[in-house]
Amino acid sequence: MTAEPMNTESSAGDYSPPSSAIDVTTKKDGGVLKEIIKEGTSDDTPTPGCNVEVHYTGKLTDGTVFDSSRDKNVPFNFQLGKGKVIQAWELGVATMKKGEIAVLHCKHEYAYGIAGSPPKIPPKATLIFEVELLDWEMENLSGKKDAGILRKPVTPGTGIGSPKELAEVEINLIGEYNGRVFDERDVTFCLGEGAEKDIPPGIEKALESFVKGEKSILELKPKYGFGDKGQEKFGIPPGASLVYTVTLKKFEQSKDVWMMTSHEKLDEAKNLKERGTQYFKNEKFETAVKLYKKALEFIDSDAGFEDELLSDRSAVLLALHLNIAMSHLKLKNFTNAKNSCDTALEMDPNSLKALFRRGQALLQLSEPALAKKDFEKVVELEPTNKAAVAQINICIQKQKEIHTKEKKMYANMFEKFAQKDREWHYGWLEGEKPIVEIAPENPEIEKEKERRKEEKRKFLENAKLLRKRKEEEEAKEKQKEKLNEENQDAEDSGCSGKESESSVEAATSSNAEQPEIGSTEVISQQ
């Protein structure tokens, strides 16, 4: 419903909220008074960051409705505590329970201020909102729609900055599983390396949204906890959902790349490379990859590097790609390993390590022919490389195995096709029904199929009978033709004398039974 243009002198001087309304402002200045119309059904109330869903109707003090979600029949959704609505709503809705209906009496200082919001809301207008809290959900920090990391603030922090990746953080945590506290301690670590301190990835992700001094409850789904492996140290089984209470005591932010000099960038890249290598040696390959990739961010671009630093940068950059490839090989991420080697070979086409490691990745990706080329290139560049020679032999053997397997597969495939072809083409004529698995059909379709089968069966029986009759008639015709030929031969031989003619007549006119065509008796007469 749209309000008519209002008199700009709409005053709250003659308006008095009911005495039952309570002050929900932090200053207790009466700026937002809440009157409960219907009690809610839950015990908890939404906290900053929660996504809330409400119905509302907004009125001026004279009763004019200037906005209503009910008129639109569409609930209104917003994130609490993020400045997306007027301050009166931030304060009032935060005190409501699920299912509660309340009226918020809002002075202009907590609404649209001195200017108002023309033409619907005049200057210095006191507003009245009837709000129903339909539902609310905890803030999801996973960055996905899986509600994998839910945050419920307990104590708000101070400041506006949050720690970034690689920032050193000091936290207090309390971990719970099924009501049992399994971990309670103060711990300091760098974001991105928390796994080495038994910190679940969900906590590291959540801390990037914390401010100093904040205390929040985090609900982690298995993916963001200890995953499918669990954590034997804490007695956490695979696939467990966890609850942590985390307090960010302090943090030290790492310097942004754009603020660094070329020397600082190169030094930081080398430092991260060394840390990653240490994790690699300790078989912490995932953390090693994370640090190697972070190091790339500092030197991935050559902008700003002086001439004397370019060669040093290129050497570190190549080493990082090679180390990432090796880590991926250990993690059995062979496609990623190949891609890292491709990048390294773009920088140095004759890199023995890049060629060898790409060959290893290709071999695991069932590409022995391509892998063999890389190993042969290694041998060409370094003839004494026995490891590459051994890999070439493995590639040759692998190619033979693949060829044999393909040959067998295709042979079986063609045989199956031929068998199916025989079944369909000859099975019916031989009275054999091809074996075909089909999904159950409805009764009408099954009935129609049976009718068609019966028609086909009768048709084939009639065809077989007609073919038999035809064959019999053709046999009789052949007998007649042969008999006629025999008689004709006899007549031809009798033309030389009457004696022969009379003997043939005697034979043919005799009351004795006529012998079969081709019998010895007829032959002797001829």
Side-chain angles (χ1 to χ4, degrees):
M1 178 177 180
T2 304
E4 297 295 330
M6 298 300 301
N7 189 331
T8 58
E9 295 182 357
S10 177
S11 173
D14 55 353
Y15 173 75
S16 297
S19 59
S20 59
I22 58 175
D23 190 347
V24 296
T25 63
T26 55
K27 297 179 181 179
K28 300 301 178 183
D29 57 7
V32 182
L33 300 177
K34 173 187 169 187
E35 176 190 3
I36 298 177
I37 305 300
K38 177 186 174 184
E39 293 286 349
T41 57
S42 64
D43 295 328
D44 296 330
T45 57
T47 53
C50 289
N51 295 299
V52 300
E53 181 179 59
V54 301
H55 260 312
Y56 69 90
T57 299
K59 299 179 182 180
L60 301 176
T61 53
D62 64 359
T64 302
V65 176
F66 61 83
D67 195 11
S68 175
S69 65
R70 295 188 184 278
D71 290 346
K72 304 169 189 174
N73 200 29
V74 178
F76 178 63
N77 296 273
F78 69 96
Q79 191 174 13
L80 196 62
K82 301 298 181 181
K84 298 184 181 297
V85 292
I86 59 175
Q87 191 178 3
W89 273 42
E90 296 279 17
L91 296 171
V93 174
T95 67
M96 297 179 67
K97 300 177 180 179
K98 183 178 179 180
E100 179 180 325
I101 300 177
V103 175
L104 302 178
H105 305 268
C106 317
K107 289 185 179 180
H108 72 272
E109 293 90 346
Y110 291 88
Y112 289 95
I114 296 176
S117 182
K120 295 182 180 181
I121 301 173
K124 296 185 179 181
T126 293
L127 305 179
I128 304 169
F129 288 95
E130 182 182 277
V131 181
E132 179 182 5
L133 180 56
L134 301 173
D135 198 5
W136 60 273
E137 296 177 348
M138 293 172 63
E139 183 181 10
N140 178 27
L141 300 179
S142 70
K144 300 179 181 179
K145 296 181 179 180
D146 56 4
I149 308 172
L150 299 180
R151 172 171 65 174
K152 180 180 180 181
V154 177
T155 303
T158 58
I160 57 175
S162 297
K164 300 177 182 179
E165 190 176 14
L166 295 182
E168 185 177 76
V169 298
E170 181 181 343
I171 67 172
N172 174 269
L173 61 82
I174 302 173
E176 297 179 59
Y177 171 66
N178 286 346
R180 173 179 65 88
V181 175
F182 64 85
D183 189 12
E184 184 173 2
R185 56 186 162 131
D186 289 330
V187 59
T188 301
F189 63 97
C190 291
L191 286 186
E193 302 176 51
E196 308 314 310
K197 297 291 182 73
D198 300 311
I199 304 296
I203 290 182
E204 292 198 85
K205 178 67 175 177
L207 283 171
E208 294 179 3
S209 300
F210 274 49
V211 294
K212 184 180 179 181
E214 177 183 337
K215 179 180 181 180
S216 291
I217 296 173
L218 301 175
E219 296 182 5
L220 307 181
K221 285 189 175 180
K223 176 181 177 181
Y224 300 95
F226 293 115
D228 296 333
K229 296 180 179 179
Q231 175 56 275
E232 186 177 357
K233 176 181 177 181
F234 297 135
I236 304 300
S241 295
L242 307 173
V243 177
Y244 277 89
T245 301
V246 179
T247 303
L248 178 58
K249 302 176 75 172
K250 64 179 181 179
F251 67 91
E252 185 176 340
Q253 200 75 275
S254 58
K255 198 172 182 180
D256 289 327
V257 177
W258 62 271
M259 298 176 64
M260 293 182 173
T261 64
S262 298
H263 284 280
E264 289 175 329
K265 291 178 183 179
L266 192 57
D267 289 342
E268 184 64 19
K270 289 180 178 180
N271 176 48
L272 290 171
K273 173 178 168 292
E274 291 304 317
R275 285 162 60 183
T277 300
Q278 190 59 46
Y279 282 117
F280 182 91
K281 291 178 180 178
N282 294 331
E283 298 186 353
K284 306 291 185 181
F285 304 119
E286 291 181 353
T287 304
V289 169
K290 191 180 297 185
L291 291 175
Y292 290 144
K293 287 185 175 181
K294 187 64 180 177
L296 287 176
E297 295 179 11
F298 291 91
I299 58 173
D300 205 26
S301 171
D302 60 0
F305 281 89
E306 292 105 1
D307 293 339
E308 62 268 20
L309 292 177
L310 281 175
S311 60
D312 199 2
R313 167 193 169 271
S314 297
V316 175
L317 194 63
L318 178 61
L320 285 170
H321 286 297
L322 291 173
N323 289 356
I324 291 172
M326 192 63 191
S327 299
H328 280 310
L329 286 175
K330 294 293 185 180
L331 292 168
K332 300 187 185 304
N333 297 330
F334 301 115
T335 299
N336 291 338
K338 173 190 171 297
N339 293 339
S340 294
C341 290
D342 289 340
T343 304
L345 288 168
E346 288 176 4
M347 300 176 62
D348 181 5
N350 292 327
S351 171
L352 296 176
K353 290 182 178 179
L355 288 167
F356 191 90
R357 291 171 189 176
R358 187 172 70 175
Q360 289 179 304
L362 289 169
L363 193 56
Q364 295 298 326
L365 292 170
S366 298
E367 295 286 354
L370 296 177
K372 182 169 172 285
K373 291 181 180 180
D374 280 343
F375 292 129
E376 288 174 341
K377 179 70 172 178
V378 172
V379 173
E380 179 184 336
L381 296 170
E382 189 179 64
T384 59
N385 195 315
K386 295 181 180 180
V389 173
Q391 290 295 318
I392 291 173
N393 293 331
I394 292 175
C395 290
I396 294 172
Q397 181 62 31
K398 192 71 174 179
Q399 283 180 289
K400 291 180 180 178
E401 291 175 2
I402 292 176
H403 178 71
T404 302
K405 186 182 292 185
E406 289 178 347
K407 186 177 180 180
K408 185 177 180 180
M409 179 184 69
Y410 289 132
N412 292 336
M413 184 185 301
F414 292 141
E415 177 57 29
K416 287 180 181 179
F417 288 155
Q419 178 63 26
K420 287 294 180 183
D421 189 63
R422 288 193 295 270
E423 288 177 357
W424 283 108
H425 283 79
Y426 305 112
W428 288 108
L429 294 178
E430 297 173 2
E432 299 175 359
K433 182 179 179 181
I435 300 175
V436 181
E437 294 182 0
I438 58 174
E441 301 284 356
N442 65 55
E444 292 298 324
I445 295 178
E446 290 295 328
K447 186 176 180 180
E448 177 64 17
K449 285 183 177 181
E450 290 298 326
R451 186 187 67 78
R452 293 185 180 185
K453 287 180 183 178
E454 183 62 21
E455 286 185 354
K456 188 169 184 177
R457 186 187 63 78
K458 290 181 179 180
F459 173 79
L460 293 174
E461 287 181 354
N462 291 335
K464 189 174 182 179
L465 181 61
L466 290 173
R467 186 167 61 251
K468 184 177 180 181
R469 290 178 180 175
K470 185 176 180 180
E471 289 174 352
E472 290 176 351
E473 290 176 358
E474 288 177 351
K476 289 181 180 179
E477 288 295 328
K478 288 181 180 180
Q479 287 179 351
K480 288 182 180 180
E481 290 176 0
K482 193 167 185 179
L483 181 60
N484 290 336
E485 290 176 358
E486 296 290 346
N487 291 339
Q488 185 63 42
D489 291 340
E491 290 176 359
D492 291 341
S493 61
C495 292
S496 59
K498 291 184 179 180
E499 183 178 353
S500 297
E501 182 180 357
S502 61
S503 64
V504 172
E505 288 178 356
T508 56
S509 62
S510 173
N511 292 331
E513 184 178 355
Q514 180 68 30
E516 293 183 0
I517 302 299
S519 67
T520 55
E521 183 178 354
V522 174
I523 291 174
S524 63
Q525 287 180 3
Q526 293 176 349

